């Protein structure tokens, strides 16, 4: 049976890629939606799928767009805390919902819609656009080897040749203006965002890169799940972009600039100009430390895909849609942690030539 899937912001960078992936499934009827009619019509013609004009802040417009829809993929960032209009309406209509949020407070706040989602029979998942969707799957693979987990390190890097939307650049600049928690030497401490750089070995072809501590959903969510300290690092493949972001963060801490995110447009233009350099790969590594049988134990899991990093970043959302179409998934409201298993992701990763590394 054909199922209608509405991709909000389906004319954007991630939205178009998610549409391209899902439209290959003969059981999915994709519809792209959003406020920008001109961009929507261009993307509709290119992709060969219908476009519906929808203003997600207007209840009547959103209700009309949801008629007959089985699931919604929301790529319309930025995702602001307490702004859950689309998810709330999906819960009431019994429509499954997943978004590409990567902001911690927004992702955690989604759980406030749990009772309404259960009543409507909908599954609402937030955070499919964050590394949390991958790191939680990898951590779950190696965690059973431990009696006790004391600390977790997550490192993620997307190759420079992968397209980045302006929203993702703005989001990374925003975290430089607030502190990040880091777990070192058995204790939590706060450090400025995008500091504490360290060279990290990622699965090939990415190899060694200098990555920086930033705020991320993993710090809160994996810490709760495993009772462990969590440190998250990310960065850019090109050193010049790392230095530019670190420099803006320094100026912010010195009080020279109040809001680094206002430089997002300039940095976005700079990144587009440098797109011919680097790789299209996406890589992530999770390291768990703890004990088994009273002895220290360290295990790591990593994944890497060298073909199309943007498509790989979209796989948690597409995997969830396929899971719901198969009749799986509980009603409720969740962060994108623990809702997908390695077997759920195997099909998506197989199509993207993603390799899993365990050590």
């Amino acid at each position: 049976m054909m199922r209608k899937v509405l991709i909000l912001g389906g004319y954007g960078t991630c939205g178009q890629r998610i549409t391209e992936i899902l439209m290959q499934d003969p059981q999915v009827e994709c519809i792209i939606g959003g406020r920008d009619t001109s961009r929507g019509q261009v993307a509709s013609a290119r992709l060969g799928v219908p476009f519906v004009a929808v203003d997600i802040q207007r209840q009547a417009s959103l209700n009309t767009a949801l008629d007959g829809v089985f699931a919604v993929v929301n790529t319309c960032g930025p995702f602001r805390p307490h702004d859950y209009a689309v998810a709330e309406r999906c819960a009431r209509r019994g429509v499954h919902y997943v978004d590409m949020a990567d902001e911690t407070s927004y992702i955690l706040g989604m759980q406030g819609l749990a009772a309404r989602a259960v009543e409507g029979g909908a599954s609402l998942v937030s955070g499919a656009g964050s590394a949390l969707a991958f790191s939680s799957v990898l951590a779950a693979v190696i965690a059973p080897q431990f009696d006790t987990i004391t600390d977790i390190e997550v490192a993620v890097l997307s190759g420079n040749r992968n397209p980045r939307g302006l929203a993702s650049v703005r989001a990374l600049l925003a975290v430089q203006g607030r502190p990040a928690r880091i777990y070192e030497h058995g204790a939590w401490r706060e450090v400025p965002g995008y500091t504490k750089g360290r060279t990290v070995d990622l699965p090939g072809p990415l190899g060694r890169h200098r990555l920086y501590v930033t705020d991320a959903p993993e710090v809160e969510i994996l810490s709760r799940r495993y009772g462990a300290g969590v440190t998250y690092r990310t960065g850019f493949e090109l050193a010049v972009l790392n230095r530019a972001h670190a420099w803006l963060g320094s100026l912010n801490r010195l009080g020279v600039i109040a809001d680094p995110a206002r430089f997002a447009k300039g940095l976005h233009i700079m990144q587009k100009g440098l797109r011919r350099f680097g790789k299209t790969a996406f890589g992530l590594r999770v390291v768990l430390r703890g004990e088994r049988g009273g002895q220290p134990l360290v295990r790591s899991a990593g994944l890497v895909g060298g073909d199309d990093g943007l498509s790989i970043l979209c796989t948690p959302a597409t995997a969830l849609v396929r899971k719901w179409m198969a009749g799986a998934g509980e009603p409720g409201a969740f962060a994108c942690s623990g809702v997908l298993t390695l077997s759920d992701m195997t099909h998506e990763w197989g199509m993207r030539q993603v390799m899993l590394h365990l050590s």
Side-chain angles (χ1 to χ4, degrees), residues 21 98 100 125 127-141 282 284 303 309-323 336-356:
I21 295 170
V98 57
M100 303 298 285
V125 179
S130 71
L132 173 68
F134 299 92
S135 59
S136 58
V137 169
L138 296 187
V141 170
F282 170 81
L284 183 142
L303 61 84
L310 180 60
S311 291
I312 296 166
L313 284 166
C314 295
T315 56
T318 57
L320 275 165
V321 171
R322 293 189 216 277
K323 187 167 186 171
C336 198
S337 174
V339 295
L340 289 169
T341 65
L342 182 61
S343 60
D344 293 329
M345 298 300 294
T346 298
H347 173 72
E348 307 297 321
W349 288 351
M351 291 193 298
R352 310 270 87 79
Q353 288 83 50
V354 174
M355 301 297 295
L356 187 65

Side-chain angles (χ1 to χ4, degrees), residues 138 141-142 145 286 299-303 342 355-359:
L138 296 187
V141 170
I142 54 180
Q145 300 178 46
V286 177
R299 289 289 183 268
S300 68
L303 61 84
L342 182 61
M355 301 297 295
L356 187 65
H357 299 260
L358 301 175
S359 61

Side-chain angles (χ1 to χ4, degrees), residues 34 57 60 101-103 249 256 290 302 315:
Q57 298 302 325
D102 59 4
E103 209 280 325
V256 177
T315 56

Side-chain angles (χ1 to χ4, degrees), residues 27-298:
Q27 293 182 302
V28 175
E29 180 184 346
C30 287
I31 305 166
I32 60 175
R35 288 190 302 176
D36 193 327
T37 302
S38 59
R39 290 180 67 196
Q41 290 175 343
V42 169
S44 173
R46 189 185 78 79
L47 296 168
V49 301
F51 167 74
V52 57
V54 54
D55 184 344
I56 62 176
Q57 298 302 325
R58 295 177 55 220
Q59 185 171 306
S61 177
L62 186 55
N63 271 333
T64 300
L66 290 177
D67 284 343
V69 168
F70 171 75
V72 167
V73 182
N74 186 5
T75 72
C76 294
F79 296 93
R80 297 182 176 90
H82 312 300
D83 184 8
Y84 299 101
V86 180
E88 191 273 341
R89 187 51 42 182
C90 285
R92 290 186 181 275
R93 297 284 297 267
V95 175
H96 298 307
Y97 168 94
V98 57
D99 64 46
M100 303 298 285
D102 59 4
E103 209 280 325
T104 304
S105 59
Y106 182 91
I107 293 170
L108 293 175
M110 183 66 69
Q111 295 170 34
L113 295 175
R116 195 165 295 165
V118 170
E119 183 180 348
S123 181
L124 314 179
V125 179
S126 184
S130 71
L132 173 68
F134 299 92
S135 59
S136 58
V137 169
L138 296 187
V141 170
I142 54 180
Q145 300 178 46
F146 292 79
D147 294 330
T148 303
I149 298 171
T150 56
D151 64 282
I152 300 171
E153 291 185 6
V154 180
V156 60
L157 180 69
S158 182
N160 188 64
R161 289 174 61 192
N162 290 309
R164 284 185 178 87
L166 178 60
S168 66
V169 178
R170 186 177 288 115
L172 184 54
L173 284 170
V175 302
Q176 295 177 7
R178 58 178 181 261
R181 288 201 299 162
I182 182 173
Y183 193 78
E184 277 188 325
H185 311 301
W188 287 102
R189 55 187 290 243
E190 281 193 349
V191 300
Y194 220 76
T195 61
K196 302 288 288 185
R198 177 186 294 178
T199 300
V200 177
D201 284 312
L202 291 160
L206 288 171
R208 293 167 62 85
H209 286 278
R210 192 162 184 81
L211 305 180
Y212 299 82
V213 171
T214 61
D215 181 45
E218 281 90 335
V219 176
E220 182 75 23
I221 294 170
L222 294 186
S223 179
R224 288 184 186 180
R225 184 172 182 182
Y226 295 107
V230 182
T231 299
Y232 177 92
R233 283 184 169 87
T234 190
F236 293 88
E237 183 184 6
L238 300 187
V240 63
L241 292 176
N242 268 335
R243 292 192 186 103
H245 278 259
W247 179 69
L248 284 174
S250 298
L251 292 178
N252 173 247
R253 292 189 295 276
L254 290 170
V256 177
I257 56 175
D259 181 17
R262 67 188 178 93
F263 293 92
K265 190 171 183 179
L267 275 175
H268 186 235
I269 293 171
M270 178 181 176
Q271 289 178 31
K272 288 175 70 174
L274 294 170
R275 275 276 303 280
R276 64 184 182 274
F277 302 105
K279 304 176 180 66
T280 56
F282 170 81
L284 183 142
R285 188 187 73 163
V286 177
V287 179
L288 272 60
R289 294 182 177 85
E291 292 183 351
R292 183 184 179 100
Q295 298 298 315
L297 183 65
V298 180

